[in-house]
């Protein structure tokens, strides 16, 4: 164009687009939600997103089985990503996790988008009261095992997704108590070091065709502190459900599957399981606000990503507005003395007092042209149905919390696993004769089928008082500590999620013989404390 012609026009400012840095997009966004981010792309994204942001720090919360660092972005007014700096901030800490089941991968994409929004200054008010710990890709090894045949009924990503298990073929969401996977140990270490008050774990549903875009669950273990249970069920979850409905028009509700009456099973809306092998239940047993989110499998991958993002945003909004109360509630639960109290060792569903309205949904089949399989896609149909709901648990069997457990020296593996959760232990410096209780085994049942790399067991029997001479080096696990419920659940022989249940003691359990872990009788603790603190080995 001749210069003379240009001069005839006023000089326009350059288009705004040309001045902006290229926008950081997720692989899902770049592919119109046909694909999901691989590990290297996640690492690139989180590396880029923190650049130039003094309030965003990239760290690693641990390692996968194949040695991939598990990325975690610390967001808030802290000088660095260290647990010391985060805890010294005095802010309420919120852990957000995606990709524990790496085929259920909308949470990963949602958390990457959230990080980008935070880097652009959105939600800057959150930093007034919160520090966020964002781990978009927990099961990083599973994420790399992409196949278009994984989760074939789920609506995308059409270009494939990772697998459920980690590289050891372990389901990480059954491993929170037994800690067989390095990922689970990394997460437990994160809990010990950063001590998040709130922990959100993002999944995608299987099963029932319902009318919700996302279903959720508070901790379900019947030993969850009532204060935490009440705040989540009566306030946080209803508030975020209303907010998502008002802002976006989509429905959310308690996770469940509609079950027909069968045998002794009543018809109703049933949640999954109370045991602390599951992330939300584990957080609850640690006296923390665990929240499970399950995006609806038959919503599109884009919709699942959106609803996962909105779900997380509303949880963080609520936590920001109630930050002090939630931190105080969690800490207060740590202080509750449980020795001498009864706690559940096994749980069973609790039915709602009245029927509730559940929104059932419908789906249509749609061909995934790449896998050649039929996927399901939700329709807009929502059919309200009245039914009882079973979205909480009650105790099916109780035990009294002892002042202390005694682990013989040959059970060091159990001690190390307890300590990996953050449990404090002591060592008996020299042999001592003590009044104790021992559990005499009446019968042992062993599952013939391997599950999660183990053969599950159940023992019957009863505790009886006796006097025993304990060897020097015996490990003492006192129950007057914040993780008493974790200790109790792992060491009680009748616990439905303990070391016995997971088959850790196969050679040690025989009918007519005692379970090798003893517990202190009522009088034991004062006698121990008379000697002052024992040397920690
Ligand atoms: Zn899942």
């Amino acid at each position: 164009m001749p210069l003379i012609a240009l001069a005839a026009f006023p000089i326009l400012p350059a288009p705004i687009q040309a001045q902006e840095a290229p926008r950081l997009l997720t692989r899902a966004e770049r592919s119109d939600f046909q694909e999901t981010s691989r590990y290297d792309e996640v690492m690139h994204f989180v590396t880029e997103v923190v650049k130039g942001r003094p309030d965003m720090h990239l760290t690693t919360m641990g390692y996968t089985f194949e040695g991939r660092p598990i990325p975690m972005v610390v967001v808030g007014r802290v000088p660095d990503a260290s647990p010391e700096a985060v805890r010294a901030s005095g802010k309420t800490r919120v852990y957000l996790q995606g990709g524990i089941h790496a085929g259920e991968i909308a949470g990963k994409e949602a958390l990457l988008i959230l990080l980008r929004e935070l880097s652009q200054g959105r939600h800057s008010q959150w930093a007034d009261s919160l520090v966020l710990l964002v781990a978009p890709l927990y099961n990083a090894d599973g994420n790399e095992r992409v196949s278009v045949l994984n989760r074939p009924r789920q609506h995308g990503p059409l270009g494939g997704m990772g697998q459920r298990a980690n590289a050891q073929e372990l389901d990480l969401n059954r491993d929170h108590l037994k800690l067989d996977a390095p990922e689970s140990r990394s997460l437990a270490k994160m809990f010990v070091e950063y001590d998040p008050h709130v922990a959100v774990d993002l999944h995608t549903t299987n099963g029932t065709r319902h009318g919700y875009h996302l279903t959720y669950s508070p901790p379900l273990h019947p030993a969850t502190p009532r204060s935490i249970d009440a705040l989540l069920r009566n306030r946080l979850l209803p508030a975020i459900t209303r907010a998502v409905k008002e802002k976006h028009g989509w429905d959310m509700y308690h996770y469940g599957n509609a079950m027909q009456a069968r045998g002794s099973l009543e018809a109703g809306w049933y949640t999954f399981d109370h045991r602390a092998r599951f992330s939300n239940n584990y957080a609850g047993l640690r006296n923390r606000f665990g929240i499970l989110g399950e995006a609806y499998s038959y919503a599109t991958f884009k919709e699942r990503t959106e609803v996962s993002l909105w779900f997380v945003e509303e949880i963080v909004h609520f936590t920001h507005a109630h930050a002090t109360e939630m931190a105080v509630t969690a800490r207060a639960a740590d202080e509750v003395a449980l020795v001498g109290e009864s706690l559940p060792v096994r749980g069973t569903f609790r039915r709602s007092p009245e029927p509730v309205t559940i929104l059932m949904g419908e789906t249509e089949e749609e061909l995934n042209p790449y896998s050649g399989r039929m996927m399901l896609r939700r329709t807009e149909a929502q059919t309200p149905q009245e039914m009882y709901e079973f979205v909480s648990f009650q105790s099916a069997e109780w035990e009294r919390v002892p002042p202390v457990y005694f682990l013989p020296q040959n059970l060091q593996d159990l001690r190390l696993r307890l300590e990996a959760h953050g449990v404090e232990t002591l060592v008996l410096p020299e042999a001592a004769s003590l009044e104790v209780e021992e559990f005499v085994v009446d019968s042992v049942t062993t599952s013939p089928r391997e599950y999660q790399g183990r053969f599950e067991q159940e023992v019957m029997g009863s505790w009886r008082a006796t006097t025993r001479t304990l060897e020097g080096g015996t490990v003492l696990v006192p129950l007057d500590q914040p993780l008493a419920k974790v200790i109790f659940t792992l060491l009680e022989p009748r616990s439905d999620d303990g070391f016995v249940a997971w088959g850790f003691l196969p050679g040690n359990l025989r009918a007519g013989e005692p379970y090798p872990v003893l517990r202190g009788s009522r009088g034991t603790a004062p006698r121990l404390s008379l000697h002052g603190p024992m040397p920690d080995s």
Side-chain angles (χ1 to χ4, degrees):
M1 183 187 280
L3 275 172
I4 190 84
L6 243 186
F9 295 93
I11 294 166
L12 296 171
I16 288 167
Q17 270 172 315
Q19 292 176 336
E20 270 188 358
R23 196 159 168 248
L24 191 59
L25 294 176
T26 64
R27 180 163 177 178
E29 291 170 316
R30 280 188 277 118
S31 66
D32 196 22
F33 289 86
Q34 302 279 300
E35 299 166 10
T36 187
S37 311
R38 303 297 193 267
Y39 177 75
D40 287 346
E41 292 163 324
V42 170
M43 293 311 294
H44 173 75
F45 192 102
V46 293
T47 304
E48 289 297 312
V49 85
V50 303
K51 278 187 182 163
R53 295 291 311 193
D55 56 347
M56 296 178 77
H57 310 276
L58 176 59
T59 186
T60 297
M61 59 179 260
Y63 295 90
T64 65
F65 184 73
E66 292 182 335
R68 292 187 175 87
I70 303 172
M72 185 169 86
V73 181
V74 176
V75 187
R77 291 190 200 129
V78 288
D80 56 63
S82 68
E84 295 75 23
V86 169
R87 292 176 71 145
S89 74
K91 309 282 191 209
T92 299
R93 302 175 287 271
V94 181
Y95 174 70
L96 305 172
Q97 177 177 284
I100 186 170
H101 291 149
E104 307 169 13
I105 213 62
K108 171 187 64 184
E109 303 295 345
L111 292 177
L112 293 177
I113 294 170
L114 179 70
L115 286 170
R116 184 182 64 218
E117 291 183 349
L118 292 165
S119 78
Q120 292 167 337
R122 260 195 99 182
H123 308 307
S124 57
Q125 75 281 11
W126 286 351
D128 297 343
S129 63
L130 305 178
V131 175
L132 303 186
L133 310 164
V134 185
L137 184 50
Y138 176 57
N139 180 8
D141 293 350
N143 186 72
E144 299 306 278
R145 286 160 167 73
V146 173
S147 166
V148 295
L149 298 180
N150 286 342
R151 295 179 66 81
R153 303 287 269 177
Q154 174 174 295
H155 202 284
L158 298 188
M161 63 208 86
Q163 70 176 26
R164 181 180 186 87
N166 78 343
Q168 293 165 284
E169 289 299 321
L170 291 176
D171 186 334
L172 299 178
N173 205 27
R174 304 294 181 272
D175 199 46
H176 290 296
L177 275 181
K178 66 183 169 68
L179 301 181
D180 280 337
E183 292 88 346
S184 315
R185 286 175 178 267
S186 301
L187 182 63
K189 188 165 175 287
M190 188 286 299
F191 263 104
V192 175
E193 292 177 349
Y194 289 89
D195 190 15
H197 301 96
V198 180
V200 181
D201 183 29
L202 297 170
H203 294 246
T204 300
T205 59
N206 304 304
T208 288
R209 293 161 206 189
H210 58 58
Y212 306 103
H213 272 84
L214 183 142
T215 47
Y216 46 62
S217 178
L220 296 170
H221 196 284
T224 305
R226 272 173 204 219
S227 52
I228 285 176
D229 185 72
L231 191 147
L232 288 173
R233 286 180 191 268
N234 304 338
R235 294 169 54 200
L236 184 146
L237 293 171
I240 68 167
T241 304
R242 278 193 303 273
V244 168
K245 180 72 174 172
E246 281 166 16
K247 291 180 190 173
H248 310 288
W250 287 353
D251 291 292
M252 306 196 302
Y253 193 62
H254 281 274
Y255 175 85
N257 290 290
M259 307 289 275
Q260 305 296 323
R262 185 161 36 93
S264 61
L265 186 81
E266 270 186 274
W269 182 250
Y270 282 82
T271 187
F272 57 107
D273 195 310
H274 63 285
R275 289 174 292 180
R277 59 187 65 183
F278 296 89
S279 63
N280 52 318
N281 304 335
Y282 175 64
L285 217 57
R286 294 188 69 108
N287 304 323
R288 298 295 178 259
F289 292 90
I291 306 174
L292 174 86
E294 296 261 354
Y296 185 42
S297 203
Y298 313 131
T300 64
F301 182 39
K302 181 164 188 278
E303 290 173 336
R304 299 202 307 273
T305 301
E306 287 170 340
V307 78
S308 299
L309 176 62
W310 299 335
F311 173 69
V312 165
E313 281 180 341
E314 294 306 331
I315 290 171
V316 183
H317 280 318
F318 185 97
T319 307
H320 165 59
H322 302 87
T324 304
E325 180 191 357
M326 290 175 75
V328 167
T329 301
R331 274 199 303 276
D334 288 347
E335 300 299 318
V336 174
L338 294 170
V339 174
E341 301 291 319
S342 288
L343 282 183
V345 287
R346 310 178 85 78
T348 185
F349 282 106
R350 184 204 301 271
R351 195 185 77 175
S352 57
E354 303 293 334
V356 299
T357 304
I358 300 295
L359 295 176
M360 298 307 293
E362 292 172 16
T363 56
E364 290 170 348
E365 285 198 330
E366 205 175 291
L367 182 72
N368 176 338
Y370 310 110
S371 71
R373 307 269 182 95
M374 285 295 175
M375 308 178 296
L376 296 180
R377 180 167 185 163
R378 70 180 293 280
T379 72
E380 293 303 317
Q382 286 180 318
T383 311
Q385 275 184 28
E386 299 290 304
M387 61 185 89
Y388 284 105
E389 67 179 0
F390 300 79
V391 298
S392 64
F393 284 80
Q394 58 198 1
S395 172
E397 189 176 321
W398 302 86
E399 261 304 328
R400 187 175 48 78
V401 179
V404 59
Y405 289 99
F406 300 103
L407 262 62
Q409 272 186 303
N410 64 349
L411 297 182
Q412 287 300 324
D413 179 46
L414 304 195
R415 175 206 179 165
L416 292 173
R417 285 173 201 260
L418 286 162
E419 289 177 349
H421 286 286
V423 168
E424 294 192 15
T425 64
L426 306 164
V427 172
L428 197 65
E430 54 194 32
S433 182
L434 290 172
E435 286 174 23
V436 297
E437 292 178 346
E438 68 180 12
F439 184 89
V440 181
V441 175
D442 292 337
S443 66
V444 188
T445 315
T446 305
S447 170
R449 193 173 59 91
E450 191 175 339
Y451 174 69
Q452 298 297 317
R454 297 194 166 271
F455 291 89
E456 294 169 291
Q457 293 195 304
E458 184 179 350
V459 292
M460 302 301 287
S462 54
W463 289 99
R464 67 170 184 204
T466 183
T467 302
R468 286 275 175 268
T469 300
L470 305 180
E471 289 175 26
T474 297
V475 176
L476 279 59
V477 191
L479 278 286
D480 58 343
Q481 56 179 307
L483 293 176
K485 290 192 285 281
V486 172
I487 300 167
F488 178 84
T489 301
L490 282 168
L491 290 179
E492 271 301 313
R494 288 280 303 146
S495 162
D496 55 14
D497 214 6
F499 289 126
V500 169
W502 277 113
F504 275 84
L505 295 156
N508 290 277
L509 301 171
R510 272 181 283 279
E513 292 184 18
Y515 168 55
V517 178
L518 303 175
R519 63 187 201 187
S521 59
R522 272 173 202 280
T524 318
R527 287 184 60 184
L528 289 171
S529 60
L530 279 179
H531 294 88
M534 305 257 175
D536 197 354
S537 72

